[in-house]
Amino acid sequence: MRLGGSRTRDKERAISNQHNAGAGGWRPAVFKMAELDADLDHIIPSVLPPFWAKLVVGFVSLLCFARSYDGDFVFDDSEAIVNNKDLQSDTPLADLWHHDFWGSRLSSNTSHKSYRPLTVLTFRVNYYLSGGFHPVGFHVVNILLHGGISILMLDVFSVLFGGLQYSSKGRRVHLAPRASLLAALLFAVHPVHTECVAGVVGRADLLCALFFLLSFLGYCRAFKETGNKEGTHSSTFWVLLSIFLGAVAMLCKEQGVTVLGLNAVFDILVIGRLDILVAVRKVLRKDKSLESTGMLKNGGLLFRMALLTIGGSTMLYIRWKIMGTGPPAFTEVDNPASFADSVLVRAINYNYYYSLNAWLLLCPWWLCFDWSMGCIPLIKSVGDWRVIALAALWLCLIGLIFQALCSEDSCKRRILTLGLGFLVIPFLPASNLFFRVGFVVAERVLYLPSAGYCMLLTFGFGTLSRHTKKKKPVAAIILGILLINALRCVIRSGEWRSEDRLFRSALSVCPLNAKVHYNIGKNLADQGNQTAAIKYYREAVRLNPKYVHAMNNLGNILKERNELQEAEELLSLAVQIQPDFAAAWMNLGIVQNSLKRFEEAEQSYRTAIKHRRKYPDCYYNLGRLYADLNRHVDALNAWRNATVMKPEHSLAWNNMVILLDNTGNLAQAEAVGREALQLIPNDHSLMFSLANVLGKSQKYKESEALFLKAIKANPNVASYHGNLAVLYHRWGHLDSAKKHYEISLQLDPVAVGTKENYSLLRRKLEQMQKKDV
């Protein structure tokens, strides 16, 4: 009987293992999982059908960020989208695979090395469908992506909370609907996601998250029961599809590759049912029974681990080869801790950064578009009070890890371990542990890790509900968190609608951030408010005395205000700090040219071109210098170089036409003007310059047509009417000449030349009237 009973139990255990593979596998775990979901029944009293749960989550996620749909392109959107030629149809699609996220060649030493061709491809499709750089279409796609990801999170949390237990018909049982819904709602309304959703550049994180989750769910499909054969436990197809989706996620953003690590942890802990604490004890005791554990004998698990390892290694190797010249070069202001000489200082500050990221997840009220440039001063000694934040972080983590390893509740161990895995693994590329990153804190990198936080928070609420008799306060706390976070999302989305509001919102969060003051100054300068811009630029330089970009922009404004001495001092200091700063060299040359120090100006222009070979604006300014020195051939050559590098460089074309016109080379001036108009057919200043040349060549009809086109394009330029009047004057169309002289003088009453010509015309008309009489 005992033998028969033993066989029966073994048979029952085998059946249980088959039908519960992946979720934790045994029936007590199923009971605990049901208990976890039951703990939330006072908070979510009724279980919504899957369709309605997804509808609620999707609606809430869209509602939180809908305010950003009609926002502008802000902050990094300018470089990644507006100034990125890879979005335009004249750039071959093949170039996307050789360029970084910002449109620079990956082989360039100045490349950021962020390789996200699939994200750029979606920008290009947006550009094509919207017919240009209209931000509404770009923002709507981001909002919809977040909605879709939030809905997908329901299925992910269902697996993480409820496991992969299947019925005999191959259907998943115990979907943990309450826990999944709560965690998905917490994810959908988390304000830390605003940067990814409201900032168009955040699409890289959204697409990466989408394919990350699809890869994870695809890996889970490998364990769906379709029969009683052992081979059905792991479908190679689904594992390979998961690896492929992980590669797609990595082509959207680099951290997508970490899904393979999460899949491995899930497989080992949930499918392989490894008890880490027991395994560690056996290793420490050198217990030989470790060699005979089922996991090590599980060929399917080892095969899947091999596939994940090979797939991940291949992806990283190809990524490294594509990167070309090695990792990107960041500066100390981007990530000051990584440049600290002391290993202890680096370790303390990295951990402080981790604690700040954790705080943003816990209390996402103080959000900032940029956390660099002195926003977070370095901790240089253990006596700094901020070390308390490190201690608090590690106390919490050690407590969670202890529970994940030592709890007698296998379900609790599994949920905590997977929650920590989802929190930590996607964050690893931003941790500075493997390589230096170009930021201190970045809200966008928390998009995926926040899922792990939401999972842990949901588990914590379930535990709290279980151990307290008063359920309503717990429900009120959860409802309050959801409402407050949703409100913060709406407010923060409004701040991301324009650069002015975004930059000013950062002043209260990071008043020591030089980049915040710089961006506000730049915005004011673009609006024409130079006086206010100077104030913010000076503050940026005060906060960061090595901020060369602020010096360059401040020097430019001072140059325009004819404060040349201070402008020269600032620009000279900028190139001294950063000798390869081409723009500062060019601007220094402009100032020196204005000070009549022509040799120094020429040397500055040449230095700028040395550091940036394709620099059409610098060639244009060099041409102006040569023109001032009456070196006409050199000027024409410089302007020709500018137009070769930038065919739409209107100023260079115009100056060539004007110089040739002034030196009497009318035929050559006409040829250059016609060439320019073929490339820039709607440029009214080119029409005006060529019309002047044609008028001097007595091609009156063609000259008149160009003058009229220029006036139609820009009717309020006095010189256009004045020169057309001169043409009519020469041509003998005196009434038309009189009309346009009068319009020109209305627009510019003090134009001396026009006054003189108008007086000559009036005397001539008076003489003609007397003669007729």
Side-chain angles (χ1 to χ4, degrees):
M1 291 295 292
R2 287 179 62 189
L3 182 61
S6 176
R7 284 175 182 166
T8 302
R9 281 194 296 273
D10 288 345
K11 190 173 182 181
E12 287 173 353
R13 190 177 295 115
I15 293 171
S16 176
N17 285 343
Q18 280 185 355
H19 290 288
N20 297 323
W26 54 87
R27 298 189 186 281
V30 175
F31 173 76
K32 292 290 184 183
M33 288 178 186
E35 188 179 271
L36 168 64
D37 213 53
D39 291 333
L40 298 170
D41 61 353
H42 293 281
I43 298 165
I44 306 175
S46 60
V47 176
L48 290 176
F51 171 79
W52 286 103
K54 291 178 179 179
L55 192 66
V56 168
V57 170
F59 176 75
V60 169
S61 64
L62 296 179
L63 190 65
C64 286
F65 299 100
R67 194 179 178 191
S68 66
Y69 89 97
D70 60 346
D72 300 330
F73 290 121
V74 297
F75 196 37
D76 286 339
D77 295 347
S78 299
E79 291 302 315
I81 297 170
V82 179
N83 298 328
N84 191 344
K85 293 184 179 179
D86 286 346
L87 271 65
Q88 299 174 21
S89 57
D90 54 351
T91 301
L93 276 172
D95 284 4
L96 269 62
W97 302 94
H98 303 287
H99 291 176
D100 66 14
F101 188 53
W102 314 95
S104 302
R105 291 197 69 83
L106 280 165
S107 57
S108 169
N109 290 328
T110 60
S111 170
H112 199 271
K113 308 298 182 184
S114 46
Y115 187 61
R116 304 162 192 174
L118 294 185
T119 302
V120 178
L121 183 62
T122 66
F123 291 154
R124 183 163 173 151
V125 172
N126 252 139
Y127 175 83
Y128 173 77
L129 293 177
S130 59
F133 293 113
H134 305 296
V136 172
F138 289 83
H139 284 295
V140 168
V141 170
N142 274 28
I143 295 168
L144 292 176
L145 278 172
H146 176 65
I149 292 164
S150 299
I151 291 170
L152 205 58
M153 277 295 179
L154 274 168
D155 294 328
V156 172
F157 287 132
S158 178
V159 171
L160 295 174
F161 284 118
L164 284 178
Q165 187 184 16
Y166 290 93
S167 68
S168 58
K169 295 182 179 180
R171 294 181 179 178
R172 276 191 61 224
V173 296
H174 194 77
L175 304 179
R178 292 186 177 90
S180 303
L181 177 59
L182 178 56
L185 285 172
L186 289 168
F187 178 86
V189 304
H190 205 297
V192 84
H193 299 158
T194 312
E195 180 176 355
C196 294
V197 182
V200 179
V201 168
R203 187 178 301 177
D205 298 89
L206 297 173
L207 288 172
C208 174
L210 175 65
F211 290 105
F212 185 103
L213 300 179
L214 290 174
S215 173
F216 176 74
L217 292 173
Y219 195 83
C220 293
R221 283 293 299 270
F223 309 104
K224 183 175 181 180
E225 294 287 338
T226 56
N228 293 327
K229 294 184 179 180
E230 182 68 24
T232 60
H233 284 258
S234 58
S235 168
T236 304
F237 167 77
W238 286 105
V239 175
L240 292 175
L241 179 62
S242 173
I243 293 171
F244 171 76
L245 290 170
V248 173
M250 191 177 74
L251 290 174
C252 296
K253 191 174 181 181
E254 294 76 6
Q255 73 181 131
V257 71
T258 59
V259 70
L260 303 186
L262 184 69
N263 290 344
V265 169
F266 181 81
D267 199 342
I268 293 169
L269 297 181
V270 176
I271 309 303
R273 301 194 301 276
L274 173 67
D275 189 322
I276 297 175
L277 185 62
V278 172
V280 170
R281 285 173 179 170
K282 288 184 177 182
V283 170
L284 293 176
R285 295 172 185 171
K286 298 182 180 179
D287 193 336
K288 293 183 178 180
S289 64
L290 182 67
E291 300 173 4
S292 60
T293 57
M295 191 187 74
L296 294 178
K297 290 185 175 182
N298 189 334
L301 175 64
L302 296 177
F303 176 67
R304 293 190 297 274
M305 292 302 104
L307 286 178
L308 290 175
T309 302
I310 294 169
S313 301
T314 302
M315 289 156 61
L316 291 174
Y317 174 75
I318 294 173
R319 176 69 177 81
W320 182 261
K321 293 292 288 184
I322 288 172
M323 200 157 57
T325 56
F330 296 114
T331 61
E332 187 174 352
V333 294
D334 296 320
N335 186 355
S338 65
F339 287 85
D341 296 327
S342 169
V343 175
L344 178 62
V345 171
R346 287 204 299 271
I348 289 174
N349 282 279
Y350 287 162
N351 281 276
Y352 181 60
Y353 296 164
Y354 305 155
S355 68
L356 288 175
N357 280 283
W359 182 250
L360 288 176
L361 291 174
L362 283 167
C363 184
W365 202 255
W366 292 278
L367 300 174
C368 184
F369 72 94
D370 185 272
W371 293 83
S372 64
M373 291 274 183
C375 183
I376 305 171
L378 275 181
I379 297 175
K380 297 181 180 179
S381 72
V382 292
D384 193 309
W385 68 269
R386 290 175 291 170
V387 173
I388 297 171
L390 281 69
L393 171 69
W394 280 104
L395 279 174
C396 292
L397 284 178
I398 290 169
L400 288 171
I401 292 169
F402 179 79
Q403 290 294 315
L405 293 178
C406 303
S407 175
E408 294 181 359
D409 185 341
S410 61
C411 175
K412 182 178 181 180
R413 290 200 309 268
R414 197 160 40 252
I415 289 177
L416 289 177
T417 304
L418 291 174
L420 287 169
F422 229 113
L423 179 70
V424 173
I425 292 173
F427 182 75
L428 287 176
S431 66
N432 285 292
L433 291 177
F434 304 105
F435 44 80
R436 177 183 291 156
V437 298
F439 52 83
V440 175
V441 173
E443 294 157 20
R444 59 187 176 275
V445 303
L446 294 176
Y447 191 82
L448 271 169
S450 66
Y453 161 76
C454 294
M455 182 180 175
L456 294 173
L457 189 61
T458 300
F459 183 78
F461 281 132
T463 304
L464 181 63
S465 178
R466 185 190 315 141
H467 290 94
T468 182
K469 293 181 180 179
K470 297 181 179 180
K471 311 293 183 180
K472 289 184 178 179
V474 178
I477 291 170
I478 294 173
L479 183 61
I481 289 173
L482 289 172
L483 290 175
I484 290 171
N485 279 359
L487 177 63
R488 181 62 177 133
C489 285
V490 173
I491 294 171
R492 187 62 178 159
S493 294
E495 292 171 348
W496 272 87
R497 292 180 67 197
S498 70
E499 285 194 331
D500 184 61
R501 295 181 65 184
L502 177 65
F503 297 154
R504 291 185 182 278
S505 70
L507 282 175
S508 59
V509 181
C510 285
L512 300 179
N513 188 336
K515 189 181 285 188
V516 170
H517 294 273
Y518 167 82
N519 279 293
I520 294 174
K522 186 174 181 296
N523 216 35
L524 289 167
D526 291 341
Q527 295 168 9
N529 191 348
Q530 290 188 340
T531 303
I534 288 173
K535 171 190 168 186
Y536 283 99
Y537 280 141
R538 289 194 190 280
E539 181 64 11
V541 174
R542 187 190 70 80
L543 291 170
N544 182 4
K546 295 183 178 180
Y547 199 173
V548 293
H549 293 284
M551 294 175 190
N552 179 60
N553 287 15
L554 178 56
N556 268 339
I557 292 179
L558 294 174
K559 172 195 68 182
E560 292 173 10
R561 294 163 72 98
N562 209 34
E563 299 177 31
L564 300 179
Q565 292 297 334
E566 187 181 359
E568 184 182 21
E569 290 173 9
L570 282 165
L571 293 166
S572 297
L573 181 58
V575 297
Q576 183 181 341
I577 295 169
Q578 187 178 328
D580 63 346
F581 192 5
W585 278 112
M586 182 189 74
N587 290 324
L588 179 60
I590 295 171
V591 172
Q592 290 165 337
N593 192 7
S594 300
L595 292 169
K596 308 299 181 185
R597 301 213 302 269
F598 300 120
E599 289 185 8
E600 293 178 44
E602 182 179 6
Q603 185 58 42
S604 295
Y605 289 142
R606 291 291 179 190
T607 306
I609 292 168
K610 172 187 171 184
H611 293 301
R612 191 192 296 179
R613 293 182 180 180
K614 294 183 177 180
Y615 203 172
D617 288 343
C618 193
Y619 275 106
Y620 165 75
N621 285 306
L622 181 60
R624 288 184 59 189
L625 169 66
Y626 289 145
D628 291 342
L629 296 173
N630 292 322
R631 293 166 57 178
H632 296 158
V633 174
D634 289 334
L636 290 170
N637 287 335
W639 289 329
R640 176 58 72 176
N641 282 332
T643 59
V644 168
M645 294 174 186
K646 186 179 178 182
E648 67 276 12
H649 203 302
S650 172
L651 291 173
W653 285 114
N654 252 315
N655 280 14
M656 278 195 284
V657 174
I658 293 168
L659 179 58
L660 291 167
D661 180 6
N662 292 341
T663 54
N665 297 306
L666 296 181
Q668 194 176 351
E670 181 181 340
V672 171
R674 292 186 187 279
E675 181 185 357
L677 277 178
Q678 284 183 342
L679 295 167
I680 322 172
N682 298 318
D683 192 296
H684 53 82
S685 61
L686 277 172
M687 297 174 194
F688 172 72
S689 298
L690 181 56
N692 286 327
V693 173
L694 293 171
K696 290 179 182 179
S697 301
Q698 297 185 348
K699 298 180 180 179
Y700 297 136
K701 195 69 180 175
E702 195 174 357
S703 176
E704 177 195 28
L706 282 173
F707 273 129
L708 291 173
K709 280 185 70 176
I711 288 170
K712 184 178 180 181
N714 197 349
N716 296 320
V717 180
S719 59
Y720 289 7
H721 293 279
N723 284 26
L724 176 58
V726 171
L727 175 73
Y728 284 137
H729 200 158
R730 290 177 182 169
W731 199 358
H733 296 182
L734 303 184
D735 291 335
S736 297
K738 181 174 180 292
K739 170 187 172 184
H740 285 281
Y741 277 138
E742 290 171 352
I743 295 173
S744 179
L745 288 171
Q746 285 176 359
L747 295 169
D748 185 7
V750 297
V752 177
T754 307
K755 281 183 175 181
E756 292 176 355
N757 289 333
Y758 185 50
S759 297
L760 289 172
L761 177 65
R762 288 183 65 181
R763 285 199 294 270
K764 187 173 183 179
L765 287 172
E766 288 171 1
Q767 290 171 2
M768 290 175 65
Q769 286 177 353
K770 289 179 181 179
K771 189 176 180 180
D772 291 340
V773 172

